[in-house]
Amino acid sequence: MSKITKSSTAEYFAKNLQQVGFSSPLKAVLTTLKEAVDNSLDACESSGILPDLLVEISKVGAGSTKNTDLIRIVVEDNGPGIEGEDLAKVYGEYLASSKFGRGQCSRGQQGIGISAATTWAQMTNARGVSVVSKTKKMRKAISAQVDVDIKSNTGVVKNKESMDWDREHGTRVEFILDGRIQLNGDGGILTYIEGTILVNPHMTITYKLNDADFVTVTRVSTEVPKVPEASLPHPHTFKLGEFITHATLFGKTTLSKFLKTGFSRISDQSISDFVKKGLPKNLLEKPLTSLSEEDFKKVFQAVQNTDLMAPSTKSVLTVGEEALSKSITRLGEIDFFAVVTRKPTICDFKPVVVEVALARFKDRNQQNDSPVTLLRFANRVPLQFDKSGCAITWAIESVNWKTYGLGQPKDSLPLGPYIFAISIVSPFIKFKNASKETIDASEELVAEIRLALIQAGQKLSRHIKKEVKEADLERKLAHIEQFGPILVEGLARIINAPESRKKRAEEGLKKLLGRDSEEAMADLEAAESKLLAQKQREKKKGIDHGDEEEVDVISSEDLVDEASEPQGTKKTTTKKAVGTQKATATTKKTTGKKA
């Protein structure tokens, strides 16, 4: 019989780095950048600091493996800094995190990503990460190299020394590793940076990619997002094994205290209800360590059979419609955008909030017959791989976008020169893999995303109709200008009319043929002035909707609407102004009269 051996967590991940986003040289560069930026943003927000980030990515030589380059990645921030004794844990030890297991909407939670980046750099370039850190208490900064001891899952600090640094506090990390740089597309670095800019309006970032010049994007909000307090999990989200494992964290605590302090929405009344559903009353005051597996099964079944209140939604945070509206303008010149923020809701017994932004940029050469650019976010982190199996992608494909004026092949993304950005925020997002690239799709979550997309689609539809109307008006005026003078000239020549008669005929024809166009133009101008006045009134109240015209309030009752029709059919429905969504002011335009 072969001898059974035991491996450390670091050893497991070192052999399976593809599970945490290092499956290729291209993904290695993007994942390393993402993990470093996530750490910087989380550190700044936890200390109430407006983040200023510096990012540099460049080729510095040939990689050690075939078809790779040696890539240098630098991320510097103005965060609180890291104490010298914590450097080894943060960068060289797996599953070492202050947020592990806490129900918070933070970007990093498990303490795997940045340690995996150190491991990849160590495996491909024989050295881990170079770190410079300084806290307010330090007179000088600390500079060190951190490696991962694969066998013992511990960090090893090398070449530690003090140095002068012009920052009052902050952290700077530098990785040199094998990889490849891709700027655009689903796995592009520039795509990731633009996504990060969009959902972090309070961030200023300066970046330099390859030989390009430095680019600085300044913040449009001075409000640091306050991450809500950690939320306890809901008992109905647990399986039996998870329930028992969760109980082991509470030691000799009594069962009743464990139920009330280890989960959300469990009160003394809930305990009484559990007893009615079969929980043996004599177990309530017993310590957890004395309960058998059979006892836990009885407790678990009683809990699952009892109706409980849904979890609180206070544990989720949002970027906000106003902040998203301002942030999206940092990505380029826009001729249309719509932003929707749903109220926090419960999906699969987990608090969730969905935000959607649709935009069309003037300075991007996207084709009308190409799929829209899809940006996905989970807890404000861009997701750039494996989008086909993601709940966000499923929700978009399930909406009939032809209803809103876009082309759409069957079971595919809509077509057009638009960017669709969808953000999911929850303290308990369920991912399909350890690299957190795809959100697991459940019926309730997909339905909630659909509601936000439908509302944004209504705004898009109104904008497209407005464009069609204006284009028709422009064509009519062009025809009058082109053919009116030719007609008058021909008639005047036939009847030998004098010049004065010819001039009166031109004016009369212009008046006759142009009256409908002029009335329509006047109607459009009147509607535009009303819309502008309405926006100014809303702005005084603190509401900024960009180019929005009208928002219908949608609830779960509206799932069966025009967006659910089979593609190719047409149906008119009346929406009820009910539900939990924010309602913005409605401005109706006066359409032009028929000729």
Side-chain angles (χ1 to χ4, degrees):
M1 181 177 176
S2 58
K3 185 178 179 181
I4 297 176
T5 60
K6 181 181 179 181
S7 61
S8 71
T9 305
E11 190 172 4
Y12 170 80
F13 281 111
K15 294 178 180 179
N16 298 278
L17 282 174
Q18 74 280 358
Q19 294 184 4
V20 286
F22 292 84
S23 58
S24 69
L26 188 151
K27 292 180 72 174
V29 172
L30 184 63
T31 303
T32 300
L33 172 64
K34 180 178 77 70
E35 297 297 343
V37 170
D38 287 353
N39 281 12
S40 294
L41 291 173
D42 275 342
C44 288
E45 289 179 4
S46 64
S47 299
I49 299 171
L50 286 169
D52 290 320
L53 269 58
L54 172 67
V55 173
E56 291 184 64
I57 301 178
S58 58
K59 298 178 184 178
V60 294
S64 60
T65 53
K66 187 178 180 181
N67 297 326
T68 63
D69 300 309
L70 196 61
I71 307 298
R72 174 176 173 265
I73 301 172
V74 176
V75 177
E76 183 178 318
D77 64 57
N78 63 330
I82 303 170
E83 297 289 346
E85 58 268 24
D86 292 332
L87 291 178
K89 285 186 175 292
V90 172
Y91 295 100
E93 186 172 333
Y94 286 83
L95 299 179
S97 172
S98 61
K99 298 167 246 177
F100 183 75
R102 298 178 65 187
Q104 278 191 305
C105 298
S106 55
R107 299 170 181 83
Q109 295 182 0
Q110 298 153 328
I112 293 177
I114 202 68
S115 301
T118 303
T119 303
W120 179 269
Q122 185 174 325
M123 292 174 65
T124 60
N125 191 43
R127 56 180 296 182
V129 57
S130 297
V131 185
V132 177
S133 178
K134 186 173 184 292
T135 66
K136 281 186 176 181
K137 298 178 183 179
M138 296 179 182
R139 189 173 60 86
K140 287 192 172 186
I142 295 175
S143 172
Q145 177 185 325
V146 180
D147 292 342
V148 178
D149 187 330
I150 303 296
K151 291 295 182 181
S152 63
N153 186 31
T154 56
V156 179
V157 178
K158 300 178 179 179
N159 306 324
K160 186 176 179 181
E161 60 183 10
S162 298
M163 60 172 285
D164 293 323
W165 201 22
D166 57 359
R167 284 191 178 275
E168 182 182 357
H169 49 78
T171 305
R172 181 183 188 274
V173 294
E174 178 180 322
F175 296 89
I176 299 180
L177 45 80
D178 282 7
R180 288 204 310 272
I181 294 177
Q182 176 183 322
L183 294 182
N184 299 301
D186 286 342
I189 294 172
L190 192 56
T191 304
Y192 166 78
I193 291 176
E194 288 183 343
T196 304
I197 289 170
L198 176 61
V199 293
N200 293 280
H202 64 297
M203 175 190 70
T204 292
I205 184 170
T206 300
Y207 62 90
K208 185 179 188 302
L209 307 179
N210 278 333
D211 298 327
D213 295 331
F214 279 97
V215 176
T216 299
V217 181
T218 57
R219 64 179 56 89
V220 292
S221 172
T222 56
E223 183 178 348
V224 181
K226 186 176 180 181
V227 180
E229 291 296 321
S231 173
L232 292 172
H234 195 280
H236 286 177
T237 64
F238 277 63
K239 297 180 179 65
L240 175 60
E242 294 174 317
F243 184 82
I244 297 174
T245 302
H246 188 50
T248 60
L249 302 176
F250 290 78
K252 296 182 179 181
T253 304
T254 62
L255 175 62
S256 60
K257 186 175 181 181
F258 160 64
L259 292 173
K260 288 188 287 187
T261 59
F263 300 99
S264 64
R265 298 306 199 188
I266 292 183
S267 60
D268 290 330
Q269 180 59 47
S270 302
I271 300 294
S272 300
D273 293 338
F274 295 157
V275 173
K276 294 177 183 177
K277 292 293 184 178
L279 190 157
K281 194 171 183 178
N282 63 322
L283 297 180
L284 290 175
E285 299 309 317
K286 282 189 175 183
L288 294 173
T289 52
S290 67
L291 299 184
S292 65
E293 184 177 306
E294 192 62 33
D295 292 335
F296 275 115
K297 285 184 178 179
K298 293 177 181 178
V299 174
F300 181 76
Q301 288 172 353
V303 171
Q304 297 302 313
N305 292 332
T306 304
D307 291 332
L308 296 172
M309 289 180 63
S312 170
T313 57
K314 293 181 180 179
S315 60
V316 295
L317 60 85
T318 63
V319 179
E321 290 186 3
E322 182 177 356
L324 267 178
S325 299
K326 293 178 180 177
S327 189
I328 203 169
T329 59
R330 298 191 291 174
L331 302 182
E333 190 176 356
I334 297 171
D335 66 355
F336 165 79
F337 75 89
V339 177
V340 172
T341 296
R342 295 282 294 173
K343 275 191 174 181
T345 188
I346 301 299
C347 295
D348 308 308
F349 299 102
K350 301 170 185 175
V352 172
V353 68
V354 178
E355 296 182 283
V356 171
L358 310 184
R360 185 173 66 192
F361 292 87
K362 293 181 178 180
D363 53 354
R364 303 199 179 199
N365 297 322
Q366 290 179 258
Q367 303 300 318
N368 289 325
D369 57 353
S370 61
V372 299
T373 299
L374 173 58
L375 302 179
R376 299 172 295 132
F377 302 91
N379 283 342
R380 298 174 296 156
V381 177
L383 309 177
Q384 293 188 255
F385 297 101
D386 300 336
K387 69 180 180 182
S388 61
C390 184
I392 293 174
T393 307
W394 288 15
I396 294 177
E397 292 177 349
S398 69
V399 175
N400 182 8
W401 291 97
K402 291 181 179 179
T403 303
Y404 303 121
L406 298 182
Q408 182 185 21
K410 186 177 181 181
D411 298 327
S412 300
L413 295 176
L415 307 177
Y418 296 90
I419 287 180
F420 282 33
I422 297 91
S423 170
I424 311 296
V425 177
S426 173
F428 303 105
I429 289 182
K430 186 177 180 181
F431 295 97
K432 285 189 173 181
N433 47 39
S435 58
K436 298 186 290 187
E437 295 169 345
T438 304
I439 300 174
D440 194 25
S442 70
E443 290 185 7
E444 290 185 14
L445 180 58
V446 171
E448 179 63 18
I449 300 171
R450 274 175 51 84
L451 290 176
L453 288 167
I454 288 169
Q455 188 168 343
Q458 290 173 337
K459 300 179 184 181
L460 174 62
S461 176
R462 282 186 285 273
H463 178 76
I464 291 175
K465 289 177 181 177
K466 171 188 169 186
E467 285 186 326
V468 171
K469 186 181 294 184
E470 290 178 344
D472 287 343
L473 180 60
E474 184 64 31
R475 283 194 296 271
K476 178 180 281 190
L477 292 174
H479 282 121
I480 291 173
E481 292 173 355
Q482 180 180 359
F483 296 111
I486 296 175
L487 178 60
V488 172
E489 179 72 29
L491 291 173
R493 187 171 60 253
I494 291 172
I495 63 174
N496 294 321
E499 191 65 27
S500 58
R501 177 72 183 277
K502 177 182 174 184
K503 188 174 181 180
R504 288 198 305 273
E506 287 177 348
E507 292 176 352
L509 182 62
K510 183 178 179 182
K511 183 178 179 181
L512 177 65
L513 297 178
R515 180 177 298 143
D516 177 51
S517 298
E518 288 171 2
E519 286 183 357
M521 182 68 79
D523 290 339
L524 284 174
E525 290 175 354
E528 290 291 347
S529 63
K530 290 179 182 178
L531 180 60
L532 181 59
Q534 180 66 32
K535 286 182 179 179
Q536 289 173 346
R537 288 195 296 271
E538 290 177 353
K539 196 169 184 180
K540 291 179 181 178
K541 297 178 182 178
I543 303 172
D544 185 4
H545 300 298
D547 286 337
E548 301 172 16
E549 295 174 27
E550 181 180 349
V551 175
D552 289 333
V553 182
I554 304 178
S555 72
S556 56
E557 298 175 6
D558 298 309
L559 270 175
V560 184
D561 67 350
E562 73 275 9
S564 301
E565 302 166 28
Q567 295 184 17
T569 64
K570 217 172 187 181
K571 181 181 177 183
T572 302
T573 60
T574 303
K575 296 244 184 322
K576 298 179 182 179
V578 296
T580 58
Q581 181 60 28
K582 297 177 184 177
T584 57
T586 300
T587 304
K588 292 186 177 180
K589 288 190 175 183
T590 305
T591 57
K593 299 177 182 177
K594 293 184 179 180

